Amino acid sequence: MARRRLTLGPTLGPTPGSALGDADVPRAELSPARPLGLGPASGPAAPIARVAAEAAGAAALQELADSVARARDTGRMVLDLPLGDIAPDHLTRDRIPAEDEDMSVLRASIRAHGQRTPIEVTPLVTGNGTGNVTGLIPGNAKGTLPYGLISGWRRLAALKALHAETGEARFATVQALVRRPETVADAYVTMVEENEIRVGLSHYERARVAALAAARGVFPDEEAALRTLFASASRPKRSRIRSFLELFHAFDDILRFPAHLPERLGLTLVERLRAGGRDEIAAALATAAPETPEAELAALGALLAPPRAAKPAPEPFRPGVTLETRLRGRTLSFVLKGPGVTPELLEELRARLG
């Protein structure tokens, strides 16, 4: 029996070798079959894999953007800020500005190696598209500037000095971390803690920042400022800082180098002040007119040194011999002077004392 070839119907599309050519035949992955009953196709549909890849990429980019925003908002991203965008007097500085050897060393280090440690700043305004100040933190003397300095005054001052001296662009910006303290009091605490850790403040500087912060209304009074700013300090230490508050109120406009005042000398000065010696101390400093910290300390030391006991007058011991007695602690000394002091007198005294 002869075999017949079964034909199901006309072929869909051109046959191989036809005039349309194989190149014009749509590929399956480019023109997927449409379900029955959906009507004519309006165009090629995007494959699922490509849609999924684009969605994953968009999600990754959004996550990266969110991470960068969180790092910036939480102060974990170092920014390069123009020097002129920062208000250095946003807070009353705890460290008294002074040109000293440490400042010269800091400038030399930044000149040679650049800034190693970022400063800390806080935003002072919130942008509303009009340039108006809408989020000013109380106590800012430069309300139109974007940022206020929290810590790093010496680094900021060193960069400003280097930029003014050299004009180099590398000194025109400062590396900074943006902090967002909830209150101005929190900003003061951050400033004090940073300086205590890095360099350490003198008792006078501690008392000064507490007094000025209370005067600006950051704290209800000086006692509250002491308790908040130096919460980790021991009670005896806070008591000593409290004593230096008296020096600040009495001599802040008189002392030229108060940050160099050591603790013991400062407490002695407080005792003299309580005894009514303010005018005497002020007059002594005015007379000395010290030009250096060492000269000021020497003037105060001479003023506060206990008076020397008058030297006792020699007593006549015998003709031609005087006697001087000296008692220092548990040591009693007798000094004989005069032409009558002879070897014979020495032997006589030995015999009597023996």
Side-chain angles (χ1 to χ4, degrees):
M1 176 181 290
R3 294 182 178 180
R4 295 180 177 272
R5 189 172 182 178
L6 181 62
T7 302
L8 297 179
T11 59
L12 300 177
T15 59
S18 65
L20 293 177
D22 293 340
D24 293 332
V25 179
R27 299 295 297 265
E29 61 269 24
L30 298 181
S31 299
R34 294 178 57 81
L36 295 176
L38 293 182
S42 60
I48 296 177
R50 184 164 57 189
V51 173
E54 291 176 353
L61 289 176
Q62 184 61 44
E63 182 179 358
L64 177 61
D66 292 343
S67 298
V68 170
R70 284 194 302 269
R72 178 172 182 145
D73 292 341
T74 57
R76 293 181 288 114
M77 177 183 291
V78 178
L79 306 178
D80 284 329
L81 302 178
L83 299 179
D85 282 0
I86 301 171
D89 55 351
H90 163 59
L91 303 178
T92 300
R93 309 317 306 172
D94 52 351
R95 187 167 299 284
I96 299 176
E99 179 63 34
D100 53 19
E101 182 179 355
D102 291 341
M103 193 66 172
S104 301
V105 171
L106 177 60
R107 282 203 305 271
S109 175
I110 294 178
R111 185 194 301 270
H113 308 292
Q115 181 188 353
R116 297 180 183 270
T117 306
I119 67 172
E120 293 181 321
V121 298
T122 185
L124 297 184
V125 296
T126 57
N128 58 5
T130 63
N132 295 330
V133 178
T134 60
L136 181 61
I137 294 179
N140 172 36
K142 303 289 184 181
T144 58
L145 297 182
Y147 299 97
L149 181 67
I150 294 180
S151 64
W153 183 90
R154 293 167 68 89
R155 278 160 281 167
L156 180 63
L159 282 167
K160 286 184 175 181
L162 288 171
H163 186 253
E165 175 187 345
T166 66
E168 296 182 24
R170 65 190 182 112
F171 299 134
T173 59
V174 59
Q175 297 177 10
L177 294 171
V178 178
R179 304 296 192 192
R180 299 178 185 274
E182 294 184 1
T183 65
V184 183
D186 292 338
Y188 272 88
V189 171
T190 300
M191 173 185 66
V192 170
E193 288 180 346
E194 197 266 354
N195 274 334
E196 292 281 20
I197 292 172
R198 290 180 57 82
V199 181
L201 301 169
S202 68
H203 277 343
Y204 190 94
E205 289 174 314
R206 296 183 180 108
R208 175 179 175 273
V209 69
L212 294 179
R216 296 180 71 169
V218 179
F219 301 98
D221 51 42
E222 293 178 354
E223 188 62 33
L226 284 177
R227 289 196 305 267
T228 304
L229 294 176
F230 307 103
S232 59
S234 64
R235 183 172 297 179
K237 182 175 181 178
R238 281 202 300 271
S239 177
R240 292 191 291 271
I241 299 173
R242 189 179 296 109
S243 297
F244 273 75
L245 277 170
E246 300 180 47
L247 295 184
F248 168 76
H249 290 298
F251 300 115
D252 190 58
D253 57 342
I254 297 175
L255 290 169
R256 299 187 180 183
F257 308 97
H260 294 267
L261 193 62
E263 178 181 316
R264 175 175 293 184
L265 183 59
L267 293 177
T268 304
L269 197 61
V270 171
E271 293 179 1
R272 182 66 66 88
L273 176 64
R274 292 171 179 172
R278 183 191 182 282
D279 293 340
E280 178 188 10
I281 296 171
L285 289 173
T287 302
E291 297 295 336
T292 64
E294 293 75 16
E296 185 167 79
L297 293 180
L300 291 173
L303 175 65
L304 301 176
R308 294 184 177 182
K311 187 176 181 180
E315 305 174 10
F317 181 72
R318 61 173 56 179
V321 179
T322 59
L323 172 64
E324 296 180 7
T325 58
R326 299 173 183 172
L327 178 61
R328 295 181 179 176
R330 295 183 177 273
T331 302
L332 177 61
S333 303
F334 296 95
V335 180
L336 298 175
K337 294 181 179 180
V341 178
T342 62
E344 291 76 15
L345 177 60
L346 176 60
E347 293 301 328
E348 178 184 350
L349 292 175
R350 282 179 174 174
R352 290 187 179 186
L353 295 174

